[in-house]
Amino acid sequence: MATPMLIQDIAACDGQDVIIKGWLYNKTHKGKLVFMQVRDGTGIAQCVAFQKDLPPEQFEAARALTQESSIIITGRVRRDERAPGYPGGYEVGVTALEVIHEAEEYPISPKEHGVEFLMDNRHLWLRSSHQWAIIRIRATIIKAIRDWLDDHGYLLVDTPILTPAAGENTTTLFQIDYFGEPAFLAQTGQLYNEANMAAHGKVYCFGPTFRAEKSKTRRHLMEFWMVEPEMAFFSLDDLIAMEQEFIAYIVQTVLTTRRQELTILERDTTRLENIIPPFPRITYTEAVARLQKLAAETTDPELKESLQIEWGDDFGAPHETAIAGMFDKPVFVTHYPVEAKAFYMQPNEEDPGVVNCTDLLAPEGYGEITGGSERISDPALMAERVKTMGISEEAYRWYIDLSRYGSVPHAGFGLGVERMVAWICGLPHIRETIPYPRMLSRKYP
RNA sequence: UCCACAGUAGCUCAAUCGGCAGAGCAAUCGGCUGUUAACCGAUGGGUUGUAGGUUCGAGUCCUACCUGUGGAGCCA
């Protein structure tokens, strides 16, 4: 009696008669036998149909089967070193084949395709093994994020996506019509997080965020997912200590639970195995000095040009890559100039020209994966900041209230999930890190 | 928004100095009992991104536009 089986469990079913429900991933036939690579969502298994083992009409159906046709296969699992697939090493000797739907000519072949074509067919491309591996790792990263926070006393508190006020910078917000009033898609949950923090101590929000920046780079999406922890009575040192444990846990969790997927992606995991605390940290000022030294020493005129920087400038992509390249772990860059950062960041006591903030730059040129800081907790300073930034006091009254009623030193950060996925998977472009990327010139499918 | 490059068969690409529109893969048909992006033989497949211009003749040269790719900028 054949029993249903998921392909991920194929090794445990050796010798058993099983039923697989799935899709034909690829096929090759050789006279009186047909090799079918069948995927069921949990893996890919080679199913071998010999003419003598099937009713004639079913063998003919196997020979004629089109790529991505949906099928139900009955057969016996056997160990075979030659069998490809994920996990592979076992194959199914087919005794019956039922075709559920014969697919039309499938546009994506196992051969190479261009970026535009694949993105136009993103809804189908997701079935390909590379994309399958990425999306599974993404799910594991998200689970690791939530597990670590939940296990360390952080409470998930949701923040709104539809927000009423734009503050000072409407150009980077998507505006929508809210019953005749303008509303905006959230760029961050942080301000609401600070209110939630005062209620629960350590909180985090996790959801999609939206930025209408006309960024056309390999690291930017218009819609991306961000986790933002916010902690009461936290200093910059507390923040850095927490972040490195958190990041290391995520990386190590993927390494231990998604080996197969990292192999599919041909990721060099030795770089990831090294991601354990403590991470190096340098100040912004030190980073600028190192960049200037590097620019002075290099003989490459293009690199020299791209590394030009003066104290006070924010880092561009070449700067981030160069700084990260000086370390083999993620590096915390702290104490940026006040002007380069957000209005709510706490100025440094000894050097008021910089803020107590830290960006975490990933190795291998993957850029900023977290950005965080101590927040201003002094009511007078907050009021002054709000005024000088030209922020609507009416729209942000609720936020200003937070500094009036039991204000405490606090800190938090945001982590971009897609950049984390790109780094861990070793992907050259962020577009493959989310099922349906929203980019400057693409919102289909 | 700026710079560079590209657009030819379903896909990936060729086409010499401006002179017959071509291949691999995919598809279809046939062959093969161990394939790993199989292989072998055969068949079908084209408004060369759009609009205009130069020329006896334009995929190729010129102008504008559209679309995409790479990079920069932008980026609490």
Side-chain angles (χ1 to χ4, degrees):
Chain A
M1 180 65 185
T3 54
M5 178 193 76
L6 294 176
I7 290 169
Q8 64 187 4
D9 303 322
I10 193 167
C13 298
D14 191 17
Q16 296 177 26
D17 291 315
V18 300
I19 297 167
I20 297 174
K21 299 181 179 183
W23 297 262
L24 183 71
Y25 189 64
N26 201 1
K27 179 194 74 176
T28 177
H29 56 86
K30 191 164 174 60
K32 297 186 175 64
L33 77 159
V34 182
F35 295 98
M36 293 178 280
Q37 311 305 324
V38 178
R39 53 173 198 87
D40 72 347
T42 74
I44 296 180
Q46 172 157 280
C47 300
V48 189
F50 287 91
Q51 189 171 35
K52 60 181 170 55
D53 296 338
L54 281 83
E57 70 281 3
Q58 289 186 20
F59 182 76
E60 261 319 299
R63 273 178 56 95
L65 208 55
T66 55
Q67 192 183 350
E68 288 302 324
S69 288
S70 46
I71 51 179
I72 297 177
I73 279 179
T74 306
R76 179 166 293 181
V77 177
R78 59 174 174 252
R79 175 117 188 94
D80 194 315
E81 291 292 345
R82 295 167 295 184
Y86 309 113
Y90 293 83
E91 65 182 19
V92 177
V94 180
T95 53
L97 168 69
E98 181 186 352
V99 179
I100 303 302
H101 175 245
E102 189 178 331
E104 296 176 26
E105 186 180 337
Y106 192 66
I108 300 178
S109 74
K111 301 279 182 178
E112 57 187 312
H113 298 286
V115 173
E116 186 186 5
F117 176 78
L118 288 170
M119 290 309 302
D120 282 343
N121 290 285
R122 181 62 175 168
H123 53 301
L124 303 176
W125 189 24
L126 289 169
R127 304 181 187 190
S128 301
S129 57
H130 263 72
Q131 304 307 310
W132 176 81
I134 293 166
I135 296 304
R136 283 165 71 90
I137 290 172
R138 176 188 169 96
T140 296
I141 289 170
I142 291 170
K143 177 169 159 50
I145 285 169
R146 298 229 21 215
D147 284 349
W148 193 93
L149 292 168
D150 291 346
D151 291 347
H152 288 78
Y154 294 74
L155 191 73
L156 174 68
V157 185
D158 300 315
T159 55
I161 288 169
L162 294 174
T163 58
E168 83 277 25
N169 193 1
T170 55
T171 55
T172 62
L173 288 160
F174 285 104
Q175 184 172 339
I176 63 157
D177 175 56
Y178 195 86
F179 307 112
E181 297 276 321
F184 303 90
L185 300 182
Q187 281 188 318
T188 169
Q190 199 222 297
L191 302 186
Y192 292 97
N193 250 351
E194 293 186 56
N196 298 337
M197 169 214 73
H200 295 281
K202 293 198 290 189
V203 300
Y204 69 100
C205 64
F206 186 31
T209 52
F210 307 87
R211 301 203 178 170
E213 293 153 11
K214 298 210 167 177
S215 301
K216 186 184 168 304
T217 81
R218 62 174 69 179
R219 320 177 157 161
H220 286 87
L221 292 166
M222 305 301 109
E223 175 183 313
F224 66 99
W225 286 68
M226 187 155 66
V227 58
E228 295 175 273
E230 191 74 31
M231 295 73 78
F233 301 104
F234 250 55
S235 67
L236 181 63
D237 286 343
D238 294 332
L239 186 70
I240 287 174
M242 175 267 179
E243 275 195 47
Q244 60 188 6
E245 294 297 330
F246 178 60
I247 298 295
Y249 174 80
I250 297 165
V251 173
Q252 297 307 319
T253 299
V254 173
L255 277 172
T256 53
T257 63
R258 291 298 184 202
R259 277 279 165 194
Q260 170 184 265
E261 286 76 8
L262 291 167
T263 302
I264 291 171
L265 298 172
E266 298 176 69
R267 180 67 163 111
D268 174 8
T269 53
T270 58
R271 301 295 301 268
L272 298 177
E273 275 149 14
N274 190 40
I275 308 303
I276 44 173
F279 299 167
R281 55 183 281 185
I282 61 173
T283 64
Y284 167 86
T285 302
E286 191 184 340
V288 170
R290 287 206 192 197
L291 287 169
Q292 288 171 337
K293 183 161 180 283
L294 190 63
E297 286 171 355
T298 184
T299 52
D300 180 346
E302 258 182 58
L303 184 64
K304 190 185 284 287
E305 172 67 27
S306 71
L307 288 180
Q308 290 305 312
I309 189 164
E310 294 297 323
W311 196 95
D313 297 342
D314 205 352
F315 297 132
H319 304 115
E320 286 185 358
T321 302
I323 296 164
M326 298 168 189
F327 304 91
D328 57 1
K329 292 183 187 182
V331 54
F332 289 105
V333 181
T334 67
H335 301 97
Y336 283 66
V338 173
E339 294 74 25
K341 288 293 177 181
F343 76 91
Y344 50 72
M345 291 190 177
Q346 174 69 42
N348 187 268
E349 306 74 40
E350 286 151 28
D351 180 1
V354 301
V355 289
N356 290 338
C357 71
T358 182
D359 284 359
L360 182 64
L361 305 182
E364 303 169 72
Y366 283 95
E368 181 189 336
I369 49 175
T370 78
S373 74
E374 292 179 8
R375 321 303 195 187
I376 291 174
S377 55
D378 176 56
L381 182 56
M382 176 56 77
E384 180 197 318
R385 273 316 187 97
V386 166
K387 202 165 214 166
T388 57
M389 297 298 288
I391 289 162
S392 160
E393 287 191 48
E394 191 190 328
Y396 282 100
R397 178 171 300 141
W398 67 269
Y399 180 68
I400 296 162
D401 263 359
L402 301 177
S403 63
R404 297 171 62 210
Y405 303 110
S407 181
V408 296
H410 60 290
F413 69 96
L415 178 151
V417 168
E418 285 75 18
R419 287 187 182 178
M420 193 78 185
V421 175
W423 168 42
I424 291 179
C425 291
L427 303 176
H429 200 294
I430 202 164
R431 64 184 154 227
E432 294 179 40
T433 61
I434 186 168
Y436 300 96
R438 297 294 173 245
M439 293 179 294
L440 193 54
S441 59
R442 177 176 293 280
K443 58 184 191 297
Y444 175 92

